[in-house]
Amino acid sequence: MTGTEAALDEIRLLGVGGVGRHGVFPEERREGQTFLVDVVMAVDTRAAAASDDLASTVDYAAAAREIVDFIEGEPVNLIETLANRIAEAMLSRTGVRSVDVTVHKPEAPVGVPYSDVQVHVRRSTDRQDADAPAPEPAIARAEPAPARAEPEHAQPDLDAAPEQPVPVVLALGGNVGDVRTTLRGVIADLTTTDGLTVEEISPLARTSAVLQPDAVAQPDYLNAVVLATTTLAPRELLDLAHHLEGTYGRQRTQRWGERTLDVDLIVYGTLTSTDPELTLPHPRANERAFVLVPWAQADPDAFLPGLGGGPVAALAETAPDRAGVRWLALDWLEDPAPRPAPAAAVSPSSPPSPPDGVPHLPQEAPAEPEDDVEEENLEDLELLAHGDEDSSEAAEPESDDLLPWVRNQPADEAPIAPRWQPLHRDE
């Protein structure tokens, strides 16, 4: 601020927030994201202090409501535009001599780990920044030759089937009902789908719900990732995902709401698409630990292509929701089995098998059947996820290889540390 403005008082509104659809990418206009605004107004508050009358100063409650209206109102491409509109509105309020506006876009699709994106503007009543350079005198210049129009980037044909099988990544999740059974059913359906070959299935992750600010709390999700190859066209695969969601009771009545099943197409080979109905790679995959962590478990060398991509394991370590990954189950596709009988009464038998056609995962400790999503981390598995000094021996699996749960955090349900390999007995 100038010397005169520095002598004025300030009214500050910090962290005014809302969900807006500002941005240049289709998914930003479609899905929306959180924006925060800081406003500092330079005013002379002496008259208000003497009269103790709200009419003599800036009504900051009304100013805050107007800021939210801008955030949640007409979308613009640039937050520079949003910041300027807010500044002009604040400057029009009686008594405001100058204003500083900072717009925060903490969920911007930057493509690399970051904490915030900010644009700061300063406006004053003279509408001229004292430090701004004087305008250059107009000079007649020859008109340049019109530039040759560059051809627009051709969008891929999402209805065209590939000539050869293409690697794809599907992310599954849900937090309503018997989610483990639902996900097992979906994988069984995928294995019998013509034109799709399931190659690998990740461990099952329990994750906290990713919500909008001030949203009502939801149950935890169970998430898994399926690696496959396909000869289906991208849109055919999207239609398959929507069909599976409908088959298992998905109802799209509330955005960001609870759901029985979510099936997202994350990657379709190296295809890049900005189609509003099917953006590829998935625009927020590089920020979602509930996708990245199980994916890195299934394929430690996986690489997410496109803007913001990179090694999946590295992206998982820096994902904003990394702390919400509570635990991972390795043997979740196996059929539930009763507890083993005492040693003297045990009779040899074959281990339970996964659904027909589902790739086999190593058989680990048997688990109790569950009733709903709140019962999904079974009693024996809970002991490993939470710890139980009195029952630790009973929960110990008989296998000498891998424990059935990836867990190297303290036994108080803290998030697992960013190590993707399973624990061995001697660790």
Side-chain angles (χ1 to χ4, degrees):
M1 295 184 179
T2 66
T4 302
E5 292 164 355
L8 293 172
D9 306 316
E10 293 180 349
I11 294 177
R12 302 187 177 198
L13 281 170
L14 306 180
V16 180
V19 176
R21 299 179 183 273
H22 312 289
V24 297
F25 294 113
E27 62 270 16
E28 293 183 290
R29 294 297 183 95
R30 183 175 65 250
E31 299 178 6
Q33 58 189 295
T34 299
F35 292 84
L36 300 173
V37 175
D38 301 330
V39 171
V40 180
M41 293 172 281
V43 297
D44 186 342
T45 64
R46 287 175 294 183
S51 66
D52 198 23
D53 185 358
L54 178 60
S56 301
T57 187
V58 175
D59 184 345
Y60 50 77
R65 288 192 295 271
E66 188 173 14
I67 293 169
V68 172
D69 289 342
F70 278 108
I71 294 174
E72 298 184 343
E74 178 188 0
V76 296
N77 289 332
L78 303 178
I79 55 175
E80 289 88 338
T81 304
L82 178 62
N84 185 74
R85 290 182 178 181
I86 294 174
E88 295 292 336
M90 297 300 104
L91 200 59
S92 68
R93 291 184 170 273
T94 302
V96 177
R97 302 283 190 85
S98 69
V99 63
D100 286 74
V101 174
T102 303
V103 175
H104 303 259
K105 191 176 181 181
E107 299 176 7
V110 173
V112 297
Y114 74 103
S115 60
D116 195 10
V117 173
Q118 304 177 9
V119 167
H120 175 261
V121 301
R122 177 177 298 162
R123 301 288 184 268
S124 58
T125 51
D126 59 13
R127 307 300 171 98
Q128 175 68 45
D129 192 328
D131 297 327
E136 295 182 2
I139 301 176
R141 290 185 173 90
E143 290 293 328
R148 185 176 61 183
E150 294 291 334
E152 294 186 2
H153 176 67
Q155 284 292 315
D157 185 357
L158 299 180
D159 296 307
E163 296 180 359
Q164 299 293 330
V166 172
V168 295
V169 177
L170 296 168
L172 315 179
N175 68 341
V176 174
D178 187 350
V179 181
R180 179 173 177 263
T181 298
T182 295
L183 298 186
R184 293 176 76 235
V186 171
I187 290 172
D189 291 338
L190 291 173
T191 60
T192 60
T193 297
D194 292 338
L196 186 75
T197 301
V198 175
E199 304 286 353
E200 194 73 39
I201 300 166
S202 78
L204 185 69
R206 177 171 179 172
T207 64
S208 58
V210 177
L211 303 172
Q212 292 285 359
D214 301 324
V216 177
Q218 293 184 19
D220 285 352
Y221 276 76
L222 296 181
N223 297 94
V225 167
V226 175
L227 310 183
T229 58
T230 188
T231 55
L232 298 175
R235 208 179 297 278
E236 287 180 310
L237 201 53
L238 178 65
D239 291 342
L240 172 63
H242 290 166
H243 171 73
L244 290 171
E245 290 176 340
T247 299
Y248 288 90
R250 172 73 182 272
Q251 296 182 356
R252 299 178 181 273
T253 57
Q254 179 183 358
R255 190 165 180 270
W256 301 95
E258 300 176 0
R259 60 205 64 182
T260 56
L261 176 64
D262 215 0
V263 182
D264 287 325
L265 177 55
I266 305 300
V267 168
Y268 186 95
T270 58
L271 185 69
T272 299
S273 167
T274 57
D275 187 283
E277 293 183 359
L278 181 56
T279 305
L280 290 169
H282 192 286
R284 300 207 183 278
N286 65 331
E287 304 172 0
R288 298 309 192 208
F290 61 79
V291 172
L292 298 166
V293 171
W295 185 2
Q297 283 283 325
D299 181 4
D301 298 322
F303 189 92
L304 175 65
L307 179 65
V312 172
L315 293 171
E317 293 184 13
T318 56
D321 60 330
R322 179 63 186 83
V325 181
R326 304 193 188 282
W327 44 245
L328 297 171
L330 299 180
D331 62 350
W332 67 282
L333 285 174
E334 308 298 338
D335 290 321
R339 292 178 181 272
V346 170
S347 59
S349 61
S350 299
S353 301
D356 292 341
V358 175
H360 181 77
L361 293 179
Q363 173 65 15
E364 301 294 348
E368 297 275 355
E370 62 281 86
D371 294 327
D372 52 38
V373 72
E374 293 299 328
E375 300 295 330
E376 301 244 353
N377 53 346
L378 311 173
E379 180 180 357
D380 284 348
L381 306 179
E382 276 280 12
L383 297 176
L384 289 170
H386 295 279
D388 189 325
E389 295 179 357
D390 296 333
S391 306
S392 58
E393 293 184 4
E396 191 75 25
E398 295 182 4
S399 169
D400 290 328
D401 298 323
L402 302 179
L403 296 176
W405 294 89
V406 179
R407 185 189 71 81
N408 51 354
Q409 77 271 20
D412 60 353
E413 191 71 330
I416 61 174
R419 292 174 54 196
W420 310 130
Q421 69 274 22
L423 290 178
H424 288 74
R425 185 178 298 280
D426 58 357
E427 287 187 324

